[in-house]
Amino acid sequence: MAISGWFVILVALGIVPVVVFDDPVALYLWLGFVALLGTVDLLLAASPRRITLERVLPGPVRLGERVESTLYLTNTGSRRMRAIVRDGWPPSAVATPSRQRVEVPAAERRSIVTALTPFRRGERRSAHVTLRSFGPLGLLARQASIVVPGSITVLPPFNSRKHLPSRLARLRELDGATSVMVRGQGTEFDSLRDYVRGDDVRSIDWRATARRNDPATNSQKLVVRTWRPERDRRVVIVVDSGRTSAARIDNEPRIDTAFESALLLAALASRAGDRVDLVVYDRRVRGRVQGASGPELLNRMVGAMAPIEPELIEMDWSAIPGLVRSVTSQHALVVLATSIDAPGASRGLLSVLPQLTRRHTVLVSSVVDPTVMALTTQRGDSTEVYRAAAGERALLDLARVSAAIRQLGGDVVTGAPADLPPALADRYIALKAAGRL
């Protein structure tokens, strides 16, 4: 049973007969009258248990997008139900409105729509619906929570896809859409074309030139070879889902930034003709995508990423070389999305880098807190000076770990959450242009 505000007001009005008649008996009579009125109202209220509920939920939704959940209420009883309905979505689903009034006549059906704007990844569940059915006077209500399970899957937002067109344009240029191609390590023969002024004379194909000799006009056109970066290379992305990935940088978990970077790199590498594999790992494989290409690759990646939350355990770096070997035995670009802020926490990573760099090109991707950079520039008083010193210490630790990674044969990409995905894509393009894949 639930009490409405009107019932409380009626009880409070009992002070009036006490003041008018100056007799406590008047108060007891008033309270008895209100209790009787409330009891009758409660008995006339429709039973919430006689309501049949059915959900219609949307499919997977990207983080931050707005969708609608529809709840159908069918009154199987003989009384009209006047109720307040609350759908039990968690706060992270941002259900609006949280409560709705509805009237369902006997043997009829009504629907209510709840807008959902989730701000966290994963599966957002609603386990029950609470119905508060009031009587005709609206004084007392019969309340029940009915189990109606439902859930929506919230996918990573992939906000970094806005950087994809510009990077694809650079890839097309690299692949030979413009005359900037040169032969070198990591390239393969593409096609023949006519020589134009400015081309490298070492690219002239004399046999093809001889075949194009026109005896009738006694003219000869030079033919040059064009080259493009090798395709069908392997890109293995390993995302650290250990305790350091749970930290929030610029109001975004590290692991979400790693997912954004992985999605942009996968989309770019797939368009470049390379094969991409994803592994999310801490002490066990939390998610894995292998053997996918084209649109299926991104679909499988966001599906694998959606339910993953960081585990508050230490990353087991000793298993990473074997994990990469299980994915591919060929030379590959291995991208490690992790944190390299502190030298102590990076010892495990540094210990396994020689095993990886011996066979692969290794790229370590890490998020940098932009507030740390801001602290180093504020030195107005003693408090800000100490904060600036702490910021400088953090940047020095980052530089030391980055230098150690480079000495062991790896490469490092760092940046703020908004800057890291395009920076990683740029480094991939640079490695492809240099023939290091």
Side-chain angles (χ1 to χ4, degrees):
M1 185 184 73
I3 298 174
S4 72
W6 290 110
F7 186 82
V8 176
I9 292 173
L10 281 179
V11 172
L13 286 177
I15 195 67
V16 175
V18 173
V19 173
V20 172
F21 299 105
D22 193 19
D23 188 353
V25 177
L27 175 61
Y28 297 136
L29 292 174
W30 178 258
L31 293 178
F33 170 73
V34 173
L36 178 62
L37 203 62
T39 302
V40 173
D41 191 44
L42 182 64
L43 293 174
L44 293 177
S47 172
R49 300 289 182 182
R50 302 299 298 272
I51 300 296
T52 302
L53 300 176
E54 179 186 354
R55 290 185 187 275
V56 176
L57 295 171
V61 56
R62 291 193 182 277
L63 184 69
E65 289 185 355
R66 186 175 185 271
V67 294
E68 292 183 344
S69 167
T70 304
L71 183 67
Y72 290 96
L73 301 91
T74 304
N75 189 351
T76 61
S78 58
R79 297 176 183 174
R80 173 185 291 267
M81 188 190 72
R82 304 170 183 85
I84 295 177
V85 182
R86 183 183 183 275
D87 203 347
W89 291 101
S92 59
V94 192
T96 53
S98 59
R99 294 170 175 82
Q100 301 186 58
R101 291 186 176 273
V102 63
E103 285 195 20
V104 187
E108 291 193 17
R109 189 187 199 194
R110 295 291 185 269
S111 66
I112 60 173
V113 177
T114 304
L116 305 174
T117 312
F119 62 84
R120 290 185 62 184
R121 268 188 312 101
E123 198 171 23
R124 305 273 74 84
R125 291 187 174 92
S126 175
H128 62 270
V129 175
T130 301
L131 297 174
R132 182 174 291 180
S133 176
F134 289 91
L137 300 178
L139 300 179
L140 299 180
R142 304 169 69 177
Q143 180 171 308
S145 293
I146 302 174
V147 176
V148 188
S151 65
I152 60 170
T153 302
V154 185
L155 305 176
F158 195 17
N159 294 324
S160 58
R161 63 181 179 274
K162 62 185 178 183
H163 301 288
L164 189 58
S166 60
R167 271 63 188 182
L168 288 176
R170 292 175 57 182
L171 266 182
R172 285 192 293 270
E173 179 179 309
L174 188 64
D175 280 343
T178 58
S179 58
V180 295
M181 299 175 52
V182 294
R183 181 180 182 179
Q185 183 182 6
T187 60
E188 61 185 8
F189 174 73
D190 181 46
S191 61
L192 298 171
R193 62 169 174 81
D194 291 339
Y195 175 86
V196 296
R197 183 173 297 180
D199 283 341
D200 190 346
V201 295
R202 292 173 296 181
S203 299
I204 297 175
D205 189 319
W206 294 109
R207 292 184 177 179
T209 298
R211 288 195 296 269
R212 292 193 59 177
N213 183 23
D214 189 355
T217 59
N218 198 24
S219 64
Q220 191 173 35
K221 293 183 179 179
L222 298 178
V223 177
V224 296
R225 293 181 178 180
T226 59
W227 309 86
R228 68 178 182 188
E230 286 183 307
R231 294 177 177 268
D232 204 25
R233 302 291 92 188
R234 299 300 296 263
V235 178
V236 181
I237 305 173
V238 180
V239 177
D240 175 6
S241 60
R243 62 176 183 84
T244 57
S245 64
R248 299 186 73 88
I249 305 297
D250 202 13
N251 201 32
E252 180 177 278
R254 285 181 183 271
I255 194 170
D256 283 13
T257 305
F259 287 164
E260 284 286 313
S261 304
L263 288 171
L264 181 61
L265 178 60
L268 190 63
S270 179
R271 296 286 187 90
D274 293 336
R275 289 181 288 173
V276 181
D277 302 293
L278 170 73
V279 180
V280 184
Y281 186 83
D282 40 53
R283 288 185 175 274
R284 61 186 177 90
V285 176
R286 305 287 307 285
R288 190 166 189 156
V289 177
Q290 283 186 250
S293 60
E296 181 191 3
L297 173 63
L298 292 184
N299 290 337
R300 289 181 56 183
M301 285 182 66
V302 296
M305 293 172 177
I308 297 176
E309 296 293 341
E311 293 280 355
L312 299 183
I313 55 178
E314 198 69 32
M315 173 71 167
D316 181 16
W317 286 106
S318 62
I320 296 301
L323 191 63
V324 174
R325 283 195 300 271
S326 69
V327 175
T328 178
S329 59
Q330 305 173 1
H331 175 268
L333 171 64
V334 179
V335 180
L336 304 176
T338 184
S339 169
I340 58 172
D341 293 340
S346 302
R347 289 176 182 173
L349 168 64
L350 297 176
S351 65
V352 301
L353 271 181
Q355 302 178 52
L356 293 173
T357 56
R358 193 177 301 122
R359 301 191 59 174
H360 307 288
T361 301
V362 179
L363 189 58
V364 180
S365 168
S366 179
V367 187
V368 176
D369 192 346
T371 59
V372 174
M373 300 292 295
L375 290 176
T376 60
T377 61
Q378 300 172 4
R379 308 186 183 188
D381 53 29
S382 59
T383 301
E384 291 183 348
V385 168
Y386 279 109
R387 289 176 178 171
E392 293 288 357
R393 177 74 261 177
L395 294 178
L396 183 60
D397 289 342
L398 177 63
R400 288 176 56 195
V401 176
S402 300
I405 292 173
R406 293 187 177 97
Q407 288 178 355
L408 294 173
D411 202 354
V412 180
V413 178
T414 59
D419 302 329
L420 184 60
L424 182 60
D426 290 340
R427 188 61 58 88
Y428 165 78
I429 295 174
L431 290 174
K432 203 165 184 63
R436 293 181 59 186
L437 300 185

